[in-house]
Short mmCIF file of all heavy atoms in Angstrom, two decimals:
data_model
loop_
_atom_site.label_atom_id
_atom_site.label_comp_id
_atom_site.label_asym_id
_atom_site.label_seq_id
_atom_site.Cartn_x
_atom_site.Cartn_y
_atom_site.Cartn_z
N MET F 1 61.25 34.61 163.92
CA MET F 1 61.83 35.54 162.97
C MET F 1 62.08 36.86 163.67
O MET F 1 61.23 37.37 164.39
CB MET F 1 60.86 35.75 161.80
CG MET F 1 61.33 36.79 160.82
SD MET F 1 60.34 36.92 159.32
CE MET F 1 58.96 37.88 159.89
N CYS F 2 63.25 37.42 163.48
CA CYS F 2 63.59 38.73 164.02
C CYS F 2 63.32 39.78 162.95
O CYS F 2 63.50 39.52 161.76
CB CYS F 2 65.05 38.78 164.42
SG CYS F 2 65.44 37.66 165.76
N LEU F 3 62.90 40.94 163.40
CA LEU F 3 62.54 41.98 162.45
C LEU F 3 63.00 43.32 162.99
O LEU F 3 62.79 43.62 164.17
CB LEU F 3 61.02 41.98 162.27
CG LEU F 3 60.43 42.83 161.18
CD1 LEU F 3 60.89 42.35 159.80
CD2 LEU F 3 58.92 42.78 161.24
N ALA F 4 63.64 44.12 162.17
CA ALA F 4 64.00 45.49 162.52
C ALA F 4 63.06 46.42 161.77
O ALA F 4 62.68 46.15 160.64
CB ALA F 4 65.45 45.77 162.15
N ILE F 5 62.67 47.48 162.44
CA ILE F 5 61.69 48.42 161.89
C ILE F 5 62.35 49.75 161.57
O ILE F 5 63.04 50.32 162.43
CB ILE F 5 60.55 48.65 162.93
CG1 ILE F 5 59.90 47.33 163.32
CG2 ILE F 5 59.55 49.66 162.42
CD1 ILE F 5 59.20 46.61 162.18
N PRO F 6 62.14 50.29 160.38
CA PRO F 6 62.69 51.61 160.06
C PRO F 6 61.90 52.68 160.81
O PRO F 6 60.66 52.67 160.80
CB PRO F 6 62.50 51.75 158.56
CG PRO F 6 61.76 50.56 158.09
CD PRO F 6 61.48 49.68 159.24
N MET F 7 62.62 53.58 161.48
CA MET F 7 61.99 54.67 162.20
C MET F 7 62.78 55.95 161.94
O MET F 7 63.98 55.92 161.71
CB MET F 7 61.93 54.38 163.70
CG MET F 7 61.14 53.13 164.04
SD MET F 7 60.95 52.88 165.83
CE MET F 7 59.50 53.91 166.11
N GLN F 8 62.07 57.09 162.05
CA GLN F 8 62.73 58.38 161.86
C GLN F 8 62.99 59.01 163.23
O GLN F 8 62.10 59.05 164.09
CB GLN F 8 61.85 59.30 161.02
CG GLN F 8 62.54 60.60 160.68
CD GLN F 8 61.73 61.47 159.75
OE1 GLN F 8 60.51 61.40 159.72
NE2 GLN F 8 62.41 62.29 158.97
N ILE F 9 64.19 59.51 163.42
CA ILE F 9 64.56 60.17 164.67
C ILE F 9 63.85 61.52 164.75
O ILE F 9 63.95 62.33 163.82
CB ILE F 9 66.10 60.39 164.74
CG1 ILE F 9 66.86 59.08 164.61
CG2 ILE F 9 66.47 61.14 166.01
CD1 ILE F 9 66.70 58.13 165.76
N ILE F 10 63.14 61.75 165.86
CA ILE F 10 62.44 63.04 166.02
C ILE F 10 63.04 63.89 167.14
O ILE F 10 62.80 65.09 167.19
CB ILE F 10 60.92 62.84 166.22
CG1 ILE F 10 60.62 61.90 167.38
CG2 ILE F 10 60.29 62.31 164.94
CD1 ILE F 10 59.13 61.73 167.68
N ALA F 11 63.82 63.29 168.03
CA ALA F 11 64.50 64.04 169.09
C ALA F 11 65.64 63.17 169.62
O ALA F 11 65.55 61.95 169.61
CB ALA F 11 63.54 64.40 170.21
N ILE F 12 66.70 63.83 170.11
CA ILE F 12 67.84 63.11 170.66
C ILE F 12 68.26 63.76 171.96
O ILE F 12 68.35 64.99 172.06
CB ILE F 12 69.04 63.11 169.68
CG1 ILE F 12 68.68 62.38 168.38
CG2 ILE F 12 70.27 62.46 170.32
CD1 ILE F 12 69.75 62.44 167.30
N ASP F 13 68.53 62.91 172.97
CA ASP F 13 69.07 63.35 174.25
C ASP F 13 70.18 62.38 174.63
O ASP F 13 69.91 61.30 175.16
CB ASP F 13 67.97 63.38 175.31
CG ASP F 13 68.47 63.89 176.66
OD1 ASP F 13 69.56 64.49 176.71
OD2 ASP F 13 67.75 63.69 177.66
N GLY F 14 71.42 62.74 174.30
CA GLY F 14 72.54 61.84 174.56
C GLY F 14 72.47 60.63 173.65
O GLY F 14 72.44 60.76 172.43
N PHE F 15 72.44 59.44 174.26
CA PHE F 15 72.35 58.20 173.49
C PHE F 15 70.92 57.65 173.44
O PHE F 15 70.71 56.49 173.11
CB PHE F 15 73.28 57.13 174.06
CG PHE F 15 74.73 57.40 173.81
CD1 PHE F 15 75.61 57.59 174.86
CD2 PHE F 15 75.23 57.48 172.52
CE1 PHE F 15 76.94 57.84 174.64
CE2 PHE F 15 76.56 57.74 172.28
CZ PHE F 15 77.42 57.93 173.34
N VAL F 16 69.95 58.50 173.76
CA VAL F 16 68.54 58.09 173.71
C VAL F 16 67.81 59.01 172.74
O VAL F 16 67.95 60.23 172.80
CB VAL F 16 67.89 58.17 175.11
CG1 VAL F 16 66.43 57.79 175.03
CG2 VAL F 16 68.62 57.28 176.09
N ALA F 17 67.05 58.40 171.84
CA ALA F 17 66.30 59.17 170.86
C ALA F 17 64.82 58.84 170.96
O ALA F 17 64.44 57.75 171.40
CB ALA F 17 66.79 58.85 169.45
N GLN F 18 64.01 59.77 170.53
CA GLN F 18 62.60 59.49 170.27
C GLN F 18 62.53 59.27 168.77
O GLN F 18 63.04 60.07 167.99
CB GLN F 18 61.71 60.67 170.68
CG GLN F 18 61.59 60.85 172.18
CD GLN F 18 60.83 59.69 172.81
OE1 GLN F 18 59.84 59.20 172.29
NE2 GLN F 18 61.34 59.22 173.94
N ALA F 19 61.91 58.17 168.38
CA ALA F 19 61.79 57.83 166.96
C ALA F 19 60.35 57.49 166.67
O ALA F 19 59.62 57.04 167.55
CB ALA F 19 62.71 56.66 166.61
N ALA F 20 59.93 57.71 165.43
CA ALA F 20 58.53 57.46 165.06
C ALA F 20 58.44 56.73 163.73
O ALA F 20 59.30 56.90 162.85
CB ALA F 20 57.77 58.78 164.97
N ALA F 21 57.39 55.94 163.62
CA ALA F 21 57.07 55.25 162.37
C ALA F 21 55.59 54.96 162.35
O ALA F 21 55.04 54.45 163.34
CB ALA F 21 57.86 53.96 162.26
N LYS F 22 54.93 55.30 161.27
CA LYS F 22 53.51 55.00 161.08
C LYS F 22 52.66 55.52 162.25
O LYS F 22 51.74 54.87 162.70
CB LYS F 22 53.31 53.49 160.90
CG LYS F 22 54.01 52.92 159.71
CD LYS F 22 53.02 52.60 158.65
CE LYS F 22 53.72 51.99 157.47
NZ LYS F 22 52.86 51.97 156.32
N GLY F 23 53.03 56.69 162.79
CA GLY F 23 52.26 57.31 163.86
C GLY F 23 52.55 56.79 165.25
O GLY F 23 51.92 57.21 166.22
N VAL F 24 53.52 55.89 165.39
CA VAL F 24 53.89 55.34 166.70
C VAL F 24 55.28 55.85 167.07
O VAL F 24 56.21 55.72 166.27
CB VAL F 24 53.88 53.80 166.67
CG1 VAL F 24 54.35 53.23 167.99
CG2 VAL F 24 52.51 53.27 166.31
N ALA F 25 55.40 56.43 168.27
CA ALA F 25 56.70 56.93 168.73
C ALA F 25 57.23 56.01 169.82
O ALA F 25 56.48 55.46 170.63
CB ALA F 25 56.56 58.35 169.26
N ARG F 26 58.54 55.83 169.83
CA ARG F 26 59.21 54.97 170.80
C ARG F 26 60.54 55.59 171.22
O ARG F 26 61.15 56.33 170.46
CB ARG F 26 59.53 53.59 170.19
CG ARG F 26 58.32 52.75 169.88
CD ARG F 26 57.76 52.12 171.16
NE ARG F 26 56.66 51.23 170.86
CZ ARG F 26 55.38 51.55 170.95
NH1 ARG F 26 55.03 52.76 171.31
NH2 ARG F 26 54.45 50.66 170.68
N GLU F 27 60.97 55.24 172.43
CA GLU F 27 62.30 55.60 172.88
C GLU F 27 63.27 54.55 172.32
O GLU F 27 63.01 53.36 172.43
CB GLU F 27 62.34 55.60 174.41
CG GLU F 27 63.58 56.19 174.99
CD GLU F 27 63.46 56.35 176.48
OE1 GLU F 27 62.95 57.40 176.94
OE2 GLU F 27 63.89 55.41 177.19
N VAL F 28 64.36 55.01 171.75
CA VAL F 28 65.30 54.14 171.08
C VAL F 28 66.71 54.44 171.58
O VAL F 28 67.11 55.61 171.65
CB VAL F 28 65.23 54.35 169.54
CG1 VAL F 28 66.31 53.58 168.83
CG2 VAL F 28 63.86 54.00 169.01
N SER F 29 67.47 53.40 171.90
CA SER F 29 68.86 53.58 172.31
C SER F 29 69.74 53.76 171.07
O SER F 29 69.63 52.99 170.11
CB SER F 29 69.34 52.37 173.10
OG SER F 29 70.73 52.48 173.34
N LEU F 30 70.60 54.75 171.13
CA LEU F 30 71.57 54.99 170.05
C LEU F 30 72.95 54.45 170.41
O LEU F 30 73.93 54.69 169.71
CB LEU F 30 71.67 56.49 169.76
CG LEU F 30 70.37 57.17 169.33
CD1 LEU F 30 70.60 58.67 169.17
CD2 LEU F 30 69.81 56.56 168.07
N PHE F 31 73.05 53.73 171.52
CA PHE F 31 74.34 53.26 172.03
C PHE F 31 75.13 52.48 170.99
O PHE F 31 76.36 52.64 170.89
CB PHE F 31 74.13 52.41 173.28
CG PHE F 31 75.41 52.01 173.93
CD1 PHE F 31 76.13 52.91 174.69
CD2 PHE F 31 75.92 50.73 173.76
CE1 PHE F 31 77.34 52.56 175.28
CE2 PHE F 31 77.12 50.35 174.34
CZ PHE F 31 77.83 51.28 175.10
N LEU F 32 74.47 51.66 170.19
CA LEU F 32 75.18 50.85 169.20
C LEU F 32 75.70 51.67 168.02
O LEU F 32 76.50 51.18 167.23
CB LEU F 32 74.29 49.71 168.71
CG LEU F 32 73.86 48.70 169.76
CD1 LEU F 32 72.88 47.69 169.16
CD2 LEU F 32 75.07 47.98 170.35
N LEU F 33 75.23 52.90 167.89
CA LEU F 33 75.65 53.76 166.78
C LEU F 33 76.52 54.91 167.26
O LEU F 33 76.64 55.93 166.58
CB LEU F 33 74.41 54.32 166.04
CG LEU F 33 73.49 53.30 165.40
CD1 LEU F 33 72.31 54.00 164.75
CD2 LEU F 33 74.22 52.45 164.39
N GLN F 34 77.13 54.78 168.43
CA GLN F 34 77.86 55.91 169.01
C GLN F 34 79.05 56.38 168.16
O GLN F 34 79.48 57.52 168.28
CB GLN F 34 78.28 55.62 170.43
CG GLN F 34 79.13 54.40 170.62
CD GLN F 34 79.37 54.13 172.10
OE1 GLN F 34 79.82 55.01 172.81
NE2 GLN F 34 79.06 52.93 172.54
N ASP F 35 79.55 55.52 167.28
CA ASP F 35 80.65 55.96 166.39
C ASP F 35 80.16 56.85 165.26
O ASP F 35 80.95 57.58 164.66
CB ASP F 35 81.37 54.74 165.81
CG ASP F 35 82.15 53.98 166.86
OD1 ASP F 35 82.53 54.59 167.89
OD2 ASP F 35 82.37 52.77 166.67
N GLU F 36 78.90 56.76 164.93
CA GLU F 36 78.30 57.58 163.87
C GLU F 36 76.86 57.91 164.25
O GLU F 36 75.91 57.42 163.65
CB GLU F 36 78.36 56.85 162.53
CG GLU F 36 77.77 55.44 162.57
CD GLU F 36 77.79 54.74 161.24
OE1 GLU F 36 76.84 54.89 160.47
OE2 GLU F 36 78.79 54.05 160.99
N LEU F 37 76.71 58.76 165.26
CA LEU F 37 75.38 59.09 165.78
C LEU F 37 74.50 59.72 164.71
O LEU F 37 74.94 60.63 163.99
CB LEU F 37 75.48 60.05 166.97
CG LEU F 37 75.85 59.44 168.29
CD1 LEU F 37 76.03 60.52 169.35
CD2 LEU F 37 74.80 58.44 168.74
N PRO F 38 73.26 59.26 164.59
CA PRO F 38 72.33 59.88 163.65
C PRO F 38 71.88 61.24 164.18
O PRO F 38 72.02 61.54 165.37
CB PRO F 38 71.16 58.89 163.59
CG PRO F 38 71.22 58.15 164.89
CD PRO F 38 72.66 58.12 165.28
N ALA F 39 71.32 62.03 163.30
CA ALA F 39 70.80 63.35 163.65
C ALA F 39 69.27 63.31 163.57
O ALA F 39 68.69 62.39 163.00
CB ALA F 39 71.35 64.39 162.69
N VAL F 40 68.64 64.33 164.15
CA VAL F 40 67.19 64.45 164.04
C VAL F 40 66.83 64.48 162.56
O VAL F 40 67.46 65.18 161.76
CB VAL F 40 66.70 65.72 164.77
CG1 VAL F 40 65.23 65.97 164.49
CG2 VAL F 40 66.94 65.60 166.27
N GLY F 41 65.84 63.68 162.19
CA GLY F 41 65.41 63.58 160.79
C GLY F 41 65.97 62.37 160.08
O GLY F 41 65.44 61.97 159.04
N ASP F 42 67.04 61.79 160.61
CA ASP F 42 67.62 60.59 160.00
C ASP F 42 66.74 59.37 160.26
O ASP F 42 65.94 59.35 161.20
CB ASP F 42 69.02 60.30 160.56
CG ASP F 42 70.08 61.26 160.06
OD1 ASP F 42 69.79 62.06 159.15
OD2 ASP F 42 71.20 61.22 160.61
N TYR F 43 66.92 58.35 159.44
CA TYR F 43 66.21 57.09 159.61
C TYR F 43 67.17 56.04 160.14
O TYR F 43 68.33 56.01 159.76
CB TYR F 43 65.62 56.62 158.27
CG TYR F 43 64.45 57.44 157.82
CD1 TYR F 43 64.64 58.63 157.12
CD2 TYR F 43 63.16 57.06 158.12
CE1 TYR F 43 63.58 59.41 156.72
CE2 TYR F 43 62.08 57.83 157.72
CZ TYR F 43 62.29 59.00 157.03
OH TYR F 43 61.23 59.77 156.65
N VAL F 44 66.65 55.19 161.03
CA VAL F 44 67.44 54.10 161.60
C VAL F 44 66.59 52.83 161.59
O VAL F 44 65.36 52.88 161.60
CB VAL F 44 67.89 54.41 163.05
CG1 VAL F 44 68.90 55.54 163.06
CG2 VAL F 44 66.72 54.72 163.96
N MET F 45 67.29 51.69 161.57
CA MET F 45 66.62 50.40 161.75
C MET F 45 66.62 50.11 163.24
O MET F 45 67.68 50.17 163.88
CB MET F 45 67.35 49.29 161.01
CG MET F 45 67.23 49.37 159.51
SD MET F 45 65.55 49.16 158.90
CE MET F 45 65.37 47.40 159.01
N VAL F 46 65.45 49.79 163.81
CA VAL F 46 65.31 49.57 165.25
C VAL F 46 64.95 48.12 165.50
O VAL F 46 63.99 47.59 164.93
CB VAL F 46 64.24 50.51 165.85
CG1 VAL F 46 64.08 50.25 167.33
CG2 VAL F 46 64.61 51.97 165.60
N HIS F 47 65.74 47.49 166.37
CA HIS F 47 65.48 46.10 166.77
C HIS F 47 65.54 46.04 168.29
O HIS F 47 66.55 46.44 168.88
CB HIS F 47 66.53 45.18 166.15
CG HIS F 47 66.40 43.74 166.55
ND1 HIS F 47 65.31 42.98 166.19
CD2 HIS F 47 67.19 42.94 167.29
CE1 HIS F 47 65.46 41.76 166.70
NE2 HIS F 47 66.60 41.73 167.38
N VAL F 48 64.48 45.56 168.90
CA VAL F 48 64.31 45.46 170.36
C VAL F 48 64.77 46.71 171.10
O VAL F 48 65.45 46.63 172.12
CB VAL F 48 64.95 44.17 170.95
CG1 VAL F 48 64.24 42.94 170.48
CG2 VAL F 48 66.43 44.09 170.68
N GLY F 49 64.39 47.88 170.57
CA GLY F 49 64.67 49.14 171.26
C GLY F 49 66.02 49.76 170.97
O GLY F 49 66.35 50.81 171.50
N TYR F 50 66.83 49.13 170.12
CA TYR F 50 68.15 49.65 169.78
C TYR F 50 68.21 50.00 168.29
O TYR F 50 67.82 49.19 167.44
CB TYR F 50 69.24 48.61 170.06
CG TYR F 50 69.50 48.40 171.52
CD1 TYR F 50 68.75 47.50 172.25
CD2 TYR F 50 70.51 49.11 172.17
CE1 TYR F 50 68.98 47.31 173.61
CE2 TYR F 50 70.75 48.93 173.52
CZ TYR F 50 69.98 48.03 174.23
OH TYR F 50 70.21 47.85 175.57
N ALA F 51 68.73 51.17 167.99
CA ALA F 51 69.01 51.53 166.60
C ALA F 51 70.26 50.74 166.20
O ALA F 51 71.29 50.84 166.87
CB ALA F 51 69.25 53.02 166.46
N ILE F 52 70.14 49.93 165.16
CA ILE F 52 71.26 49.07 164.78
C ILE F 52 71.99 49.54 163.52
O ILE F 52 73.10 49.09 163.24
CB ILE F 52 70.84 47.59 164.63
CG1 ILE F 52 69.74 47.43 163.59
CG2 ILE F 52 70.39 47.04 165.98
CD1 ILE F 52 69.38 45.98 163.29
N GLN F 53 71.36 50.42 162.74
CA GLN F 53 72.04 51.00 161.58
C GLN F 53 71.25 52.19 161.08
O GLN F 53 70.05 52.28 161.30
CB GLN F 53 72.24 49.99 160.45
CG GLN F 53 70.99 49.68 159.66
CD GLN F 53 71.25 48.70 158.52
OE1 GLN F 53 71.82 47.64 158.75
NE2 GLN F 53 70.84 49.03 157.32
N THR F 54 71.95 53.10 160.41
CA THR F 54 71.27 54.21 159.77
C THR F 54 70.88 53.78 158.35
O THR F 54 71.44 52.84 157.80
CB THR F 54 72.17 55.47 159.71
OG1 THR F 54 73.37 55.13 159.03
CG2 THR F 54 72.48 55.99 161.10
N MET F 55 69.92 54.48 157.80
CA MET F 55 69.46 54.17 156.45
C MET F 55 68.91 55.44 155.80
O MET F 55 68.61 56.42 156.49
CB MET F 55 68.39 53.07 156.49
CG MET F 55 67.14 53.44 157.24
SD MET F 55 65.99 52.09 157.59
CE MET F 55 65.99 51.14 156.12
N SER F 56 68.77 55.40 154.50
CA SER F 56 68.23 56.55 153.79
C SER F 56 66.70 56.54 153.87
O SER F 56 66.09 55.52 154.19
CB SER F 56 68.66 56.51 152.32
OG SER F 56 67.99 55.44 151.65
N ALA F 57 66.11 57.68 153.55
CA ALA F 57 64.64 57.77 153.52
C ALA F 57 64.07 56.80 152.48
O ALA F 57 63.03 56.18 152.71
CB ALA F 57 64.21 59.20 153.22
N ALA F 58 64.76 56.65 151.35
CA ALA F 58 64.28 55.74 150.30
C ALA F 58 64.32 54.29 150.79
O ALA F 58 63.40 53.51 150.51
CB ALA F 58 65.13 55.90 149.04
N GLU F 59 65.38 53.91 151.52
CA GLU F 59 65.46 52.55 152.06
C GLU F 59 64.36 52.30 153.09
O GLU F 59 63.75 51.23 153.11
CB GLU F 59 66.82 52.32 152.71
CG GLU F 59 67.97 52.25 151.72
CD GLU F 59 69.32 52.27 152.39
OE1 GLU F 59 69.50 53.00 153.38
OE2 GLU F 59 70.20 51.53 151.90
N ALA F 60 64.08 53.30 153.93
CA ALA F 60 63.01 53.17 154.92
C ALA F 60 61.66 53.00 154.23
O ALA F 60 60.86 52.14 154.60
CB ALA F 60 63.00 54.38 155.85
N GLN F 61 61.40 53.80 153.21
CA GLN F 61 60.15 53.72 152.47
C GLN F 61 60.00 52.36 151.80
O GLN F 61 58.93 51.74 151.84
CB GLN F 61 60.06 54.84 151.43
CG GLN F 61 58.79 54.82 150.61
CD GLN F 61 57.54 55.06 151.44
OE1 GLN F 61 57.57 55.80 152.41
NE2 GLN F 61 56.45 54.42 151.07
N SER F 62 61.06 51.88 151.20
CA SER F 62 61.04 50.57 150.54
C SER F 62 60.74 49.45 151.54
O SER F 62 59.95 48.55 151.26
CB SER F 62 62.38 50.32 149.86
OG SER F 62 62.42 49.06 149.27
N ALA F 63 61.36 49.53 152.72
CA ALA F 63 61.10 48.51 153.75
C ALA F 63 59.64 48.54 154.19
O ALA F 63 59.01 47.49 154.31
CB ALA F 63 62.02 48.74 154.94
N TRP F 64 59.09 49.74 154.41
CA TRP F 64 57.68 49.82 154.83
C TRP F 64 56.74 49.32 153.74
O TRP F 64 55.72 48.68 154.04
CB TRP F 64 57.32 51.25 155.25
CG TRP F 64 57.66 51.45 156.69
CD1 TRP F 64 58.61 52.28 157.20
CD2 TRP F 64 57.08 50.77 157.81
NE1 TRP F 64 58.65 52.15 158.57
CE2 TRP F 64 57.72 51.24 158.97
CE3 TRP F 64 56.08 49.80 157.95
CZ2 TRP F 64 57.39 50.78 160.24
CZ3 TRP F 64 55.76 49.35 159.22
CH2 TRP F 64 56.41 49.83 160.35
N GLU F 65 57.06 49.57 152.48
CA GLU F 65 56.23 49.05 151.40
C GLU F 65 56.23 47.53 151.42
O GLU F 65 55.18 46.90 151.24
CB GLU F 65 56.71 49.58 150.05
CG GLU F 65 56.40 51.04 149.84
CD GLU F 65 57.07 51.63 148.62
OE1 GLU F 65 57.78 50.91 147.88
OE2 GLU F 65 56.90 52.85 148.40
N LEU F 66 57.38 46.93 151.66
CA LEU F 66 57.49 45.48 151.73
C LEU F 66 56.71 44.94 152.93
O LEU F 66 55.97 43.96 152.81
CB LEU F 66 58.95 45.06 151.81
CG LEU F 66 59.22 43.56 151.89
CD1 LEU F 66 58.68 42.84 150.65
CD2 LEU F 66 60.70 43.30 152.04
N TYR F 67 56.87 45.58 154.10
CA TYR F 67 56.14 45.13 155.30
C TYR F 67 54.63 45.25 155.09
O TYR F 67 53.87 44.37 155.47
CB TYR F 67 56.54 45.96 156.52
CG TYR F 67 57.99 45.81 156.92
CD1 TYR F 67 58.62 46.82 157.62
CD2 TYR F 67 58.73 44.68 156.60
CE1 TYR F 67 59.95 46.70 158.00
CE2 TYR F 67 60.06 44.56 156.97
CZ TYR F 67 60.66 45.58 157.68
OH TYR F 67 61.97 45.46 158.04
N ASP F 68 54.18 46.35 154.47
CA ASP F 68 52.75 46.53 154.20
C ASP F 68 52.23 45.44 153.27
O ASP F 68 51.12 44.92 153.45
CB ASP F 68 52.47 47.90 153.60
CG ASP F 68 52.63 49.03 154.61
OD1 ASP F 68 52.61 48.75 155.84
OD2 ASP F 68 52.79 50.19 154.18
N GLU F 69 53.04 45.08 152.27
CA GLU F 69 52.65 44.01 151.35
C GLU F 69 52.53 42.67 152.07
O GLU F 69 51.58 41.91 151.86
CB GLU F 69 53.67 43.92 150.21
CG GLU F 69 53.30 42.94 149.13
CD GLU F 69 54.32 42.91 148.00
OE1 GLU F 69 54.94 43.96 147.72
OE2 GLU F 69 54.50 41.84 147.41
N MET F 70 53.49 42.38 152.95
CA MET F 70 53.43 41.12 153.71
C MET F 70 52.20 41.08 154.61
O MET F 70 51.53 40.04 154.70
CB MET F 70 54.70 40.95 154.54
CG MET F 70 55.93 40.66 153.72
SD MET F 70 57.44 40.26 154.66
CE MET F 70 57.55 41.52 155.88
N LEU F 71 51.88 42.20 155.25
CA LEU F 71 50.71 42.24 156.13
C LEU F 71 49.42 42.07 155.33
O LEU F 71 48.48 41.40 155.78
CB LEU F 71 50.67 43.55 156.91
CG LEU F 71 51.72 43.67 158.00
CD1 LEU F 71 51.75 45.10 158.56
CD2 LEU F 71 51.47 42.67 159.11
N ALA F 72 49.37 42.65 154.14
CA ALA F 72 48.18 42.51 153.30
C ALA F 72 47.98 41.06 152.87
O ALA F 72 46.86 40.55 152.87
CB ALA F 72 48.29 43.41 152.07
N ILE F 73 49.06 40.39 152.51
CA ILE F 73 48.97 38.98 152.11
C ILE F 73 48.53 38.13 153.29
O ILE F 73 47.66 37.26 153.15
CB ILE F 73 50.32 38.49 151.53
CG1 ILE F 73 50.59 39.16 150.19
CG2 ILE F 73 50.34 36.97 151.41
CD1 ILE F 73 52.00 38.97 149.68
N GLU F 74 49.12 38.38 154.45
CA GLU F 74 48.77 37.61 155.64
C GLU F 74 47.29 37.79 156.01
O GLU F 74 46.61 36.84 156.34
CB GLU F 74 49.64 37.99 156.83
CG GLU F 74 49.29 37.21 158.07
CD GLU F 74 50.05 37.69 159.29
OE1 GLU F 74 50.40 38.87 159.38
OE2 GLU F 74 50.27 36.83 160.17
N SER F 75 46.80 39.01 155.94
CA SER F 75 45.41 39.26 156.33
C SER F 75 44.42 38.67 155.32
O SER F 75 43.26 38.41 155.65
CB SER F 75 45.15 40.74 156.53
OG SER F 75 45.28 41.44 155.31
N ALA F 76 44.88 38.44 154.08
CA ALA F 76 44.01 37.86 153.06
C ALA F 76 43.99 36.33 153.11
O ALA F 76 43.13 35.70 152.48
CB ALA F 76 44.46 38.31 151.67
N MET F 77 44.91 35.74 153.88
CA MET F 77 44.97 34.27 153.96
C MET F 77 43.82 33.74 154.82
O MET F 77 43.50 34.34 155.84
CB MET F 77 46.31 33.84 154.53
CG MET F 77 47.49 34.14 153.64
SD MET F 77 49.07 33.70 154.39
CE MET F 77 48.92 31.93 154.38
N PRO F 78 43.22 32.62 154.39
CA PRO F 78 42.17 32.02 155.21
C PRO F 78 42.72 31.51 156.52
O PRO F 78 43.84 31.00 156.59
CB PRO F 78 41.63 30.88 154.35
CG PRO F 78 42.68 30.63 153.33
CD PRO F 78 43.51 31.88 153.19
N ARG F 79 41.92 31.65 157.56
CA ARG F 79 42.32 31.16 158.89
C ARG F 79 41.80 29.75 159.10
O ARG F 79 40.69 29.42 158.71
CB ARG F 79 41.75 32.07 159.99
CG ARG F 79 42.17 33.50 159.89
CD ARG F 79 43.54 33.69 160.41
NE ARG F 79 43.93 35.09 160.21
CZ ARG F 79 45.13 35.51 160.41
NH1 ARG F 79 46.07 34.70 160.80
NH2 ARG F 79 45.44 36.78 160.21
N ALA F 80 42.59 28.93 159.70
CA ALA F 80 42.18 27.53 159.96
C ALA F 80 41.42 27.42 161.26
O ALA F 80 41.48 28.14 162.15
CB ALA F 80 43.40 26.63 160.00
#
């Protein structure tokens, strides 16, 4: 399963951004969004180090709520 993670842009240098989510910061390529570059403070979906789309803060929050719910269910499942 492939998964993209919502992250907030905290700094930009050309086509490379620093983005953060849940206290973890990563370097993210903005190359795929060069036609509509995000700004500092914007949210992007990140997949394998590349920002693949911009999103609203509400969409990012909704995605994290869903991911947190999935993780809670998984951790509650009995292990074989």
